[in-house]
Amino acid sequence: MLRSKDLIGLKDLSTNEIELILSTAKDMKNVLKSGKKTNDLTDKSVATLFYENSTRTRVSFELAAKNLGASVSSITIATSSVAKGESLIDTGRTLDALFTNVVVIRHNVSGAPYLLAKNVKASVINGGDGNNEHPTQGLLDIFTMRETFGKLDGLKVALIGDVKHSRVARSNIFGLTKLNVKVSIAAPETLLPADIGKIVRVHNNIHDAVQDADVIMGLRIQKERQKRGHFPSMREYVKFYSITEDLIKKAKKTCIIMHPGPINRGIEIMSEVADSKQSLILNQVTNGLAVRMAILKLIVK
Ligand code: CP
């Protein structure tokens, strides 16, 4: 059982709750492999309410809900009453009045899913809020690591790039550290959150971060969240922080490459690496479906 009606962040989940989601996701992956669907959410209703663009999160939540037998409403901001000025809380209460059981929300403002959850009866799942958290991405990343290595305890994960603006990095750091995974990060000083060195090992040099890593995870340069330039030029960023074939040749032979997507090819990661045998980027997408099925099944009471 999950303690809350909502999933807002990995910061709030206990280790037992994370373990429950991961084991349920394994069952859901077997359901997907069998080509069957379940009736866990028959007569339930799931709405996706995305104030920011998405491909993976939105599509996989909608498919996950359908695979469990739920009905799905997809609310597009540009064609909904949000465009007429309806508030987030009024939109949420409207969905409550339509007997919606789960609202999956993505919002550019950190904390928006929390505000919605406090004001609606439906379960609220955070599909990414501002710079804060992207808990289902963190969970699918952790699921992918455990599926690959058969364990999490003692793994070394290197997060490379724009940690400061990355809700994916925050969720991964909260989840992985709860599961005894050693996390190190490499980024320019200007893309590091304050005090991050108290939680994870920080390297300014990418080579130091990846040398003994089991997982090398690139993070997207989030141009839309950078109000001012955080590095002198893109060329300089690529020179010092891009994940290249040369870098991977110097890393452990058994390491895997991950990225939450979408990728800025040729910026934070080179195509030869993103498309290599060591890359699990598309496995992450498939696992996102299993993990989101698990979360929906566990959250609907
Ligand atoms: N990783 C991720 O959240 O991708 P989308 O923006 O496509 O949902």
Side-chain angles (χ1 to χ4, degrees), residues 50 52-60 106 127-128 134 136-137 140-141 167-168 220 259-262 284-285 292:
F50 276 46
E52 274 189 353
N53 295 345
S54 167
T55 299
R56 294 152 196 78
T57 311
R58 182 173 203 142
V59 172
S60 61
R106 171 170 288 188
H134 192 348
T136 63
Q137 180 71 44
L140 77 87
D141 291 339
R167 53 198 180 202
V168 175
R220 187 168 67 89
H259 189 298
Q284 288 172 259
V285 177
R292 288 171 178 130

Side-chain angles (χ1 to χ4, degrees), residues 112-123:
Y114 177 80
L115 176 70
L116 181 66
K118 290 289 155 224
N119 285 281
V120 296
K121 290 196 220 83
S123 290

Side-chain angles (χ1 to χ4, degrees), residues 48 57-67 72-75:
T48 55
T57 311
R58 182 173 203 142
V59 172
S60 61
F61 260 117
E62 293 177 359
L63 287 173
K66 286 176 191 163
N67 285 347
V72 179
S73 309
S74 178
I75 299 150

